[in-house]
């Protein structure tokens, strides 16, 4: 008899306890800001083709054509010889927060051709990465 009267009371208390411990949703959750797909252009370079440098350095203008991410972008640069793909070390590029910006390629050897690959990645969204843009650069100086 005691079981018949105590059981409903016990179940009611248990239900109230579990329902009050449930995590409550926020009334106004922060909106999930979606970044625009990152895109850029190299206005002074013929992408996929051969370009000329006049000495051991080459200033390369980069223009981000999409909306620049809030946290900025990271530039990945790879410069290697066209034949053999031997890497040519370059200076580190600081994170970018303005557009357009300039990258200076250095240590270009005379009469050598290099394959230059550039890619941008959002600092706020690891999945927002541009496809690589590749061009070839020949140092025409004879030093």
């Amino acid at each position: 008899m005691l079981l018949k009267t105590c059981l409903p009371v016990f179940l009611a208390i248990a239900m109230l306890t579990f329902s009050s411990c449930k995590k409550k949703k926020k009334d106004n959750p922060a909106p999930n800001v979606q970044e625009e797909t990152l895109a850029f252009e190299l206005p002074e370079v013929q992408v996929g083709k051969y370009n000329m440098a006049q000495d051991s350095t080459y200033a390369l203008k980069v223009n981000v054509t999409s909306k620049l991410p809030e946290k900025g972008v990271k530039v990945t640069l790879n410069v290697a010889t066209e034949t053999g793909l031997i890497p040519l070390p370059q200076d580190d590029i600081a994170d970018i927060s303005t557009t357009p910006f300039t990258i200076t390629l250095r240590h270009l050897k005379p009469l050598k051709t290099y394959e230059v690959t550039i890619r941008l990645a959002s600092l706020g969204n690891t999945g927002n990465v541009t496809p690589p843009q590749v061009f070839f650069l020949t140092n025409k100086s004879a030093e």
Side-chain angles (χ1 to χ4, degrees):
M1 179 89 168
L2 183 61
L3 186 62
K4 285 184 181 181
T5 57
C6 291
L7 186 62
V9 172
F10 176 74
L11 288 175
I13 291 172
M15 292 292 284
L16 285 173
T17 303
F18 286 120
S19 65
S20 67
C21 291
K22 192 185 256 186
K23 192 173 188 178
K24 295 183 180 179
K25 292 182 182 178
K26 291 181 181 179
D27 292 336
N28 293 323
N32 186 4
V33 179
Q34 191 77 342
E35 285 183 355
E36 187 176 324
T37 301
L38 204 52
F40 72 100
E41 65 182 4
L42 306 169
E44 298 167 356
V45 170
Q46 293 181 20
V47 176
K49 298 188 179 187
Y50 289 85
N51 298 267
M52 256 191 313
Q54 297 301 325
D55 59 20
S56 64
T57 62
Y58 183 78
L60 173 66
K61 183 178 176 184
V62 180
N63 185 20
V64 179
T65 56
S66 61
K67 185 177 179 199
L68 200 60
E70 225 175 86
K71 294 184 179 180
V73 295
K74 171 131 183 85
V75 178
T76 304
L77 175 67
N78 184 40
V79 180
T81 58
E82 179 187 32
T83 55
L85 296 175
I86 300 166
L88 180 67
Q90 297 295 309
D91 298 338
D92 289 335
I93 301 169
D95 296 338
I96 305 299
S97 58
T98 60
T99 187
F101 60 94
T102 303
I103 298 170
T104 302
L105 303 177
R106 301 186 189 283
H107 319 296
L108 303 172
K109 304 259 191 283
L111 305 175
K112 284 248 186 218
T113 300
Y114 298 93
E115 180 180 283
V116 181
T117 305
I118 300 174
R119 180 178 290 174
L120 302 182
S122 169
L123 292 171
N125 178 357
T126 56
N128 194 0
V129 179
T130 63
Q133 291 202 23
V134 179
F135 66 95
F136 299 92
L137 186 63
T138 302
N139 180 357
K140 292 290 188 176
S141 69
E143 281 189 45

